[in-house]
Amino acid sequence: MQDEIRNIRNEFMALVSDVQNKQELEELRIAYLGRNGKINLLTKNLKDLASSEKAEVGALINQTKISIEEELQASEATLRDIAPKFDTSVPGILPPVGHTHLLTQSIREIEKIFTGLGFVRRRYPEVEWDWYSFTSLNFPKNHPAWDTLETYFVDAPSDNKLGEMILTPHTSNGQVREMQRGKLPIRMINIGKTYRRQADISHTPMFHQFEGLVIDKNIAITHLKGTLDYFAKSFFGEDRKVRLRPHNFRFTEPSFEVDISCDLCGGKGCRVCKGGWLELGGSGMVHPNVLRAGGIDPEIYSGFAFGWGVERVTMMKSGINIPDLRVLYSTDLRYLEQF
Ligand code: PHE
């Protein structure tokens, strides 16, 4: 009878290792541990044995029963924990994949266009002394741009020479900082965050500008025009043109407002552009006082500069219509995802 018991146990072990699901496991449990199962039949047969054998055989039946129970439990746990992970029929879940923000895409494109022309990308402080943002750029004291309505002042001790600490309202603070590096010629593209106290559908308190600065011997307005024309064609499309319109900035002389031909009407004039041209941003030839502030002799060197809004050129790019600029800085993925 001991052999019979061992066979039952071995047979059970073989069967349980093949079990595929809970129902098969339950059937196996009934066949071995059920009321009419194999273990109970063995127990019933005990009474036919000689009493000398009973104790030993009884213990073997018990052991077998225990190991069958343990095996059933282990097998059940395996089915519960692991089986679903191997169910290759369940469709997979695609994790959401992000992409760079629309403005990051623009910044990278702008950087690429200018570095292709030999410009070097720079970054200068956003928290800045007013000397770099205003005084060194030929702003007289009391100029309206100093007004707290436009510029954020930082509540920090001021410096004797450099003045008060502010959040820079334009990337032009990078002009004299770049000159102070002391390396000529200069071909800088400074792309960064700028701050002004303003908030409506076309203004956000924080926005981005890209500032170009070229300083070398014999730099003329034609270099300025050619560079900006090249940028406009690369960024907006081959058929676009730029024109210069006289303007006034403290730190450039002469100064220009740069316009780009409207792509809706091709420059004929329409409801959007009113006259065929759209305003891109400011530019001009670097003022001699600014060169002097940067330690450069205006008798030997000349240069041009421009500073445009990243948000603005992004909005003007064909096919991108941003009804409210502020949404660019929201976390609404339904909006941001489309770019
Ligand atoms: N800093 C000017 C602005 O923010 C733009 C500008 C830059 C104009 C460089 C001329 C030269 O409006």
Side-chain angles (χ1 to χ4, degrees):
M1 193 163 168
Q2 277 92 332
D3 281 347
E4 195 190 338
I5 297 170
R6 282 190 197 99
N7 280 340
I8 285 178
R9 184 175 176 278
N10 291 344
E11 179 195 63
F12 169 83
M13 291 302 172
L15 288 173
V16 81
S17 68
D18 266 355
V19 159
Q20 300 292 334
N21 54 46
K22 286 198 171 165
Q23 194 192 336
E24 283 180 27
L25 193 67
E26 182 59 11
E27 281 164 11
L28 206 56
R29 194 187 66 77
I30 292 167
Y32 283 80
L33 301 182
R35 194 143 45 92
N36 299 315
K38 300 196 179 192
I39 296 292
N40 262 354
L41 281 181
L42 288 173
T43 317
K44 276 179 198 155
N45 293 341
L46 265 184
K47 66 179 186 305
D48 303 331
L49 292 178
S51 44
S52 60
E53 274 188 315
K54 268 185 191 165
E56 197 191 324
V57 175
L60 186 59
I61 292 175
N62 241 341
Q63 264 174 27
T64 306
K65 188 177 171 188
I66 288 169
S67 54
I68 286 179
E69 277 169 347
E70 282 173 1
E71 207 54 42
L72 282 170
Q73 262 177 25
S75 173
E76 197 189 339
T78 310
L79 282 176
R80 193 173 50 230
D81 294 347
I82 294 177
K85 293 185 190 155
F86 287 94
D87 187 349
T88 51
S89 68
V90 176
I93 297 167
L94 277 181
V97 178
H99 62 73
T100 50
H101 191 275
L102 174 63
L103 292 176
T104 307
Q105 296 171 35
S106 271
I107 287 171
R108 291 195 182 155
E109 194 181 344
I110 292 164
E111 174 175 354
K112 201 164 162 226
I113 293 171
F114 283 105
T115 53
L117 285 178
F119 285 60
V120 179
R121 168 93 192 257
R122 295 274 188 242
R123 292 173 173 80
Y124 286 112
E126 297 165 27
V127 181
E128 182 59 291
W129 300 110
D130 65 30
W131 191 81
Y132 283 105
S133 287
F134 295 119
T135 320
S136 69
L137 296 175
N138 199 35
F139 280 87
K141 274 263 181 243
N142 307 323
H143 189 279
W146 295 67
D147 197 317
T148 45
L149 282 178
E150 288 285 340
T151 304
Y152 288 106
F153 285 78
V154 177
D155 191 4
S158 56
D159 181 271
N160 279 346
K161 178 174 181 281
L162 301 173
E164 296 196 67
M165 206 182 273
I166 60 172
L167 300 183
T168 190
H170 56 183
T171 43
S172 301
N173 68 313
Q175 290 194 17
V176 170
R177 283 195 176 270
E178 179 70 14
M179 294 177 204
Q180 286 181 339
R181 291 167 67 95
K183 292 203 184 81
L184 287 164
I186 289 170
R187 280 179 189 75
M188 163 189 94
I189 185 77
N190 171 28
I191 314 178
K193 291 190 171 73
T194 47
Y195 301 84
R196 289 180 198 178
R197 271 188 68 176
Q198 51 184 16
D200 58 42
I201 61 165
S202 54
H203 294 94
T204 48
M206 188 282 293
F207 59 106
H208 298 77
Q209 283 191 338
F210 56 109
E211 182 99 4
L213 178 70
V214 171
I215 295 176
D216 204 342
K217 289 176 181 152
N218 302 317
I219 295 293
I221 296 173
T222 46
H223 298 113
L224 164 72
K225 174 100 195 294
T227 305
L228 300 185
D229 211 56
Y230 176 82
F231 171 77
K233 285 183 165 42
S234 313
F235 191 78
F236 294 102
E238 271 305 315
D239 52 336
R240 309 296 283 275
K241 289 193 291 281
V242 299
R243 73 171 181 191
L244 304 181
R245 207 159 25 83
H247 199 74
N248 173 40
F249 296 104
R250 294 295 312 177
F251 38 97
T252 46
E253 183 58 41
S255 301
F256 308 102
E257 200 65 72
V258 182
D259 294 338
I260 183 169
S261 55
C262 174
D263 70 324
L264 281 181
C265 62
K268 284 190 208 68
C270 66
R271 197 171 47 84
V272 174
C273 64
K274 299 187 184 76
W277 298 91
L278 296 157
E279 199 180 302
L280 267 180
S283 70
M285 304 308 290
V286 181
H287 195 289
N289 287 349
V290 179
L291 290 171
R292 277 187 208 104
I296 294 174
D297 185 349
E299 299 301 325
I300 303 174
Y301 287 95
S302 57
F304 69 81
F306 57 90
W308 298 353
V310 175
E311 284 80 355
R312 185 166 169 79
V313 296
T314 304
M315 283 205 293
M316 287 169 62
K317 200 164 175 160
S318 329
I320 297 176
N321 176 26
I322 303 166
D324 185 338
L325 202 57
R326 289 170 290 193
V327 79
L328 284 178
Y329 301 110
S330 73
T331 51
D332 191 344
L333 288 182
R334 290 169 305 174
Y335 183 81
L336 296 174
E337 256 168 13
Q338 59 185 318
F339 303 116

